[in-house]
Amino acid sequence: MPDYVRARPHLSGLVPGDPLHVREVGDGNLNLVFIVRSDPAVPGVVLKQSLPWVRVFGEGWPLTIERARHEADAYAVYRAFAGATNPVYHGFDPVRYVIAMEDLAALRIWRTALDDGEVHAGAAAALGTFVARVAFHTSDLGLPAQERKRLVARTINPELCQITEDLVFTEPVRIHDHNRYSPELEGVVAELRADGAVVDELSRLKHRFMTHTEALIHGDLHSGSVMVGGGRTVAIDPEFACTGPVGFDLGAIWANAILAQARAVQLGRPAGFRAHVAAILPDSWLAFRDELLRLWPERVDDSFTDALLGDWKRTIWHDALGFAGAEMIRRLVGFAHVSDVDTLDTAAKVAATTAGLAIGRRLLLEHRTLADPAAVRELVETGLSEHR
Amino acid sequence: MPDYVRARPHLSGLVPGDPLHVREVGDGNLNLVFIVRSDPAVPGVVLKQSLPWVRVFGEGWPLTIERARHEADAYAVYRAFAGATNPVYHGFDPVRYVIAMEDLAALRIWRTALDDGEVHAGAAAALGTFVARVAFHTSDLGLPAQERKRLVARTINPELCQITEDLVFTEPVRIHDHNRYSPELEGVVAELRADGAVVDELSRLKHRFMTHTEALIHGDLHSGSVMVGGGRTVAIDPEFACTGPVGFDLGAIWANAILAQARAVQLGRPAGFRAHVAAILPDSWLAFRDELLRLWPERVDDSFTDALLGDWKRTIWHDALGFAGAEMIRRLVGFAHVSDVDTLDTAAKVAATTAGLAIGRRLLLEHRTLADPAAVRELVETGLSEHR
């Protein structure tokens, strides 16, 4: 690894002085992540390398290393407008599939921070603003039509999208090897699988995800893909980036925020922290909406009228609630779980999962009619109080 | 041209015997079309070559010859399921941008046939069936998800889509050099431009066209892109093919059928012919619906439930009516007109245009609520009888 860095002047300059200290910190499912520093206490550079399989599953689940190119491409696109919400991006090595990026030493994963009961006041709004900027600048509002179509073609991400399609929309309501949940939940999960209305909504949302190419969405914007600290919020790991419905990213934020709320209830966290977590959905939504409205006058095609903006905003709102329901369910009974719930003791885990499934189900079934954040808050609070 | 054919054995074999008879018959805006035959009376082969500009506009409107590749690609994709509705396709020359295809000698352009008052009984149903097969086999119903995404990437058609976006959705309600209409219509057209609801609907439909990548649509399926005769119906000229909303193709068929109806009324065609033209919309819709339902059980992804089918069918119906409204208006006041109306005498042309604009406007404004073909028929008949 030191040789790799020293052979590349644009990286070497970021970590002057020898010897280099290298630490592998990847805790995701798909990649190796190296922190490279001259001084162990001073931020250096992060190198992220794709492995040709799903790490947590071993070599039995092969996975294209092309995902690194998609992640690099997303960083490069987002760089133009995302400001400090994008990590500083130092380039991509298309031979070894290595992304070089900022060493976010002072920041930690948002999910872990929430697990620990930490308040990071600006995170929700920063993410809402980020999603709005992505929605604007990578859609037909911000890019000339032909340029955008070329972006769509280049960023089509078949393998990673297939993972989302399978893991989020299909497998959680089937009997499948990938699914995991406590035996105590067998009854609840069986009920969910047998719920035709749930299966129908997942089918509809899957089709939306597969056919609505609104913007270059992040594609996996849960709290584990966000880093926070020192007043900064950074969205990382956009390897699932593809052109899709904007609501998918907001839905991922919201679903994971609600799961953090379920944890906070189970652990009896202070009211202040619980209110902080409950505010993630409204805060990110309002920031999203405000930023989209702020950018709207800059659209490159003024044949898009205010009526279209209103429609699209409503579509994104309702989509996001549906996608949030799907994301909650799959994080509770599907392949990829969340520490928010999985690190609870068994009784608390069962209670949080039952609450989460009930809320996820209602979000799925009611996503087209829930009018505003207040209605969602009531739905969430009802679900959390009925299963505590 | 004879040399070109003789140098290519797969073409030469289609037209054995010398000398070759070559006739240029292109009457479109964009291409040269040569019929090549050994015997002038026996079908040979058709060669279609892209010109690097919009022909009718001269060299001042450059246009990518890549469109020939898109047309060839669409023929190659459609060949797998479209049967006789696709012309026999003999391949593409990527150096000279020449498509070789069936010489459809016994068939004529459907629009011309309708202009002449000819009845071609199966045409509407054949087209409805064709659109259903395209909808099924080039969407996530008929193609595995990853394969379909690669199809979407390959068939993205930025330049031709831009023409549709500009000519169909934007320019007709603006003051623009491209627009043409009789001076008598200035008042009606000005009213349309000032109609905020019309402009809003065009804005919404444009965004749908640009972001809903449902299937590899034909992209320009008006009656001039259809050939009929001897009981056969063939869809030609798919150079605008791109992944888009399925309703766009049905809308093009319907809009041009209604314009043919307006002509029939003006010319006092027999009731039988008028009924034939009025049946194009219901007949193509029913054939579309039946074929889509017939194919549905063969979908490659059984996580798509019947609810999704019902939703998508409704979406296509309502989209198609909106797109039909946009197509009618642009064919009457925009850049590319239709012979159905333009070959009428001035008084009849003004009456047909006024009726068409009124019907197009109502289709735009009411497309989300019109329930079925009977409701549309009433709307159309009202429009035609109020402006005759």
Side-chain angles (χ1 to χ4, degrees), chain A residues 153-307:
Chain A
R154 192 183 76 212
T155 57
I156 275 182
N157 196 348
E159 296 87 356
L160 278 278
C161 282
Q162 173 99 52
I163 294 180
T164 298
E165 289 151 18
D166 290 345
L167 265 55
V168 177
F169 298 107
T170 309
E171 294 173 4
V173 288
R174 297 194 164 178
I175 292 173
H176 197 287
D177 274 359
H178 286 163
N179 295 338
R180 295 183 295 119
Y181 43 85
S182 306
E184 292 90 336
L185 292 162
E186 188 52 58
V188 182
V189 178
E191 224 171 86
L192 201 68
R193 273 198 304 267
D195 189 333
V198 166
V199 176
D200 281 348
E201 290 302 341
L202 288 173
S203 170
R204 291 181 170 117
L205 288 162
K206 181 177 179 178
H207 193 251
R208 292 203 145 225
F209 177 79
M210 295 171 90
T211 56
H212 287 198
T213 52
E214 296 172 355
L216 182 63
I217 63 173
H218 177 287
D220 195 27
L221 198 54
H222 59 86
S223 51
S225 297
V226 175
M227 296 188 75
V228 292
R232 188 167 164 209
T233 304
V234 181
I236 59 169
D237 292 353
E239 55 205 345
F240 284 85
C242 63
T243 44
V246 170
F248 191 78
D249 281 350
L250 289 174
I253 300 169
W254 299 351
N256 287 277
I258 297 169
L259 294 175
Q261 257 184 287
R263 175 188 180 83
V265 167
Q266 290 304 321
L267 295 181
R269 296 283 194 208
F273 179 73
R274 295 211 310 274
H276 167 67
V277 181
I280 292 173
L281 187 154
D283 287 358
S284 57
W285 171 250
L286 295 180
F288 168 81
R289 204 197 52 185
D290 289 352
E291 183 68 4
L292 192 62
L293 292 178
R294 191 184 71 74
L295 291 167
W296 176 247
E298 297 170 25
R299 65 194 178 281
V300 295
D301 181 347
D302 66 358
S303 76
F304 290 129
T305 68
D306 291 353

Side-chain angles (χ1 to χ4, degrees), chain A residues 172 192 198 324-334 357 360-361 364:
Chain A
L192 201 68
V198 166
E327 168 78 0
M328 287 186 71
I329 289 171
R330 74 99 164 197
R331 291 288 185 187
L332 294 169
V333 306
L357 291 176
R361 179 179 175 279
L364 275 182

Side-chain angles (χ1 to χ4, degrees), chain B residues 286-300:
Chain B
L286 295 180
F288 168 81
R289 204 197 53 185
D290 288 352
E291 183 69 3
L292 192 63
L293 292 178
R294 191 185 72 73
L295 291 166
W296 176 247
E298 297 170 26
R299 64 194 178 282
V300 295

Side-chain angles (χ1 to χ4, degrees), chain B residues 72-89 129-130 132-134 136-138 142-143 147 151 154 216 291 294-295 298:
Chain B
D73 210 2
Y75 285 139
V77 171
Y78 295 166
R79 175 160 57 174
F81 51 78
T85 313
N86 208 38
V88 178
Y89 168 63
T129 303
F130 170 71
R133 290 180 182 173
V134 170
F136 183 87
H137 290 289
T138 69
L143 288 177
E147 195 181 322
L151 177 75
R154 190 183 78 213
L216 183 63
E291 183 69 3
R294 191 185 72 73
L295 291 166
E298 297 170 26

